[in-house]
Amino acid sequence: MAVPMIRTAALAHIRDRRLLQARSAGKGVFYMAGGKLDPGESAVQALHREVREELGVEVTTAAELGVFECEAYGHAPGTGLHMTCFTADLTGEPHATGEIAELRYFTVGEYAAMSEVAPGSMLVFRRLHELDLIDW
């Protein structure tokens, strides 16, 4: 039986050496801004749509940071996450819209210290720290 796989696009938006994370209404965990690819949609198209829906701004240019795979947080055990993560320039300052209740910028250590963390986000935090783009 094939392992269920969730395919997503995510934004790695950095400010002051901290990474932006979004918390949906009614949830305790912060995730990368972004979401699932719609049928027939590319990761870049999903990035543009999700950033508009969640952060109320447009992506002007995007560069792929990498593909991160791990178990999907908050889904049935064994469900995989295939997350294509991008850095991007935005048309303005991100703000919480739609289902997003809160936006917050974290260092690696600040995020890791939260009571709930998303494994996919942790992979991106570690990669950005390796690249010396965010602080521990």
Side-chain angles (χ1 to χ4, degrees):
M1 186 170 139
V3 173
M5 181 71 72
I6 297 171
R7 297 188 177 281
T8 66
L11 171 68
H13 183 66
I14 300 163
R15 188 178 73 194
D16 301 326
R17 297 185 57 82
R18 286 176 152 74
L19 179 61
L20 179 69
Q21 296 285 287
R23 184 179 62 78
S24 295
K27 304 250 172 111
V29 68
F30 283 83
Y31 293 97
M32 307 288 299
K36 294 178 188 168
L37 276 59
D38 286 342
E41 188 176 48
S42 72
V44 171
Q45 289 168 325
L47 175 76
H48 282 262
R49 178 180 51 77
E50 290 285 349
V51 166
R52 185 180 322 111
E53 290 173 3
E54 294 185 356
L55 305 180
V57 292
E58 299 289 333
V59 170
T60 54
T61 58
E64 188 174 310
L65 175 67
V67 173
F68 299 84
E69 291 189 337
C70 61
E71 189 161 318
Y73 185 83
H75 293 271
T79 301
L81 172 69
H82 176 99
M83 177 174 65
T84 306
C85 190
F86 298 88
T87 56
D89 293 320
L90 306 175
T91 57
E93 187 60 30
H95 55 278
T97 61
E99 76 268 15
I100 302 302
E102 182 181 3
L103 297 177
R104 197 186 300 175
Y105 289 86
F106 293 91
T107 64
V108 183
E110 289 165 348
Y111 186 75
M114 298 289 287
S115 60
E116 291 183 78
V117 297
S121 287
M122 277 309 305
L123 291 173
V124 175
F125 270 100
R126 288 191 183 102
R127 180 73 183 120
L128 291 170
H129 184 258
E130 288 168 6
L131 295 171
D132 196 32
L133 297 174
I134 62 173
D135 290 331
W136 191 269

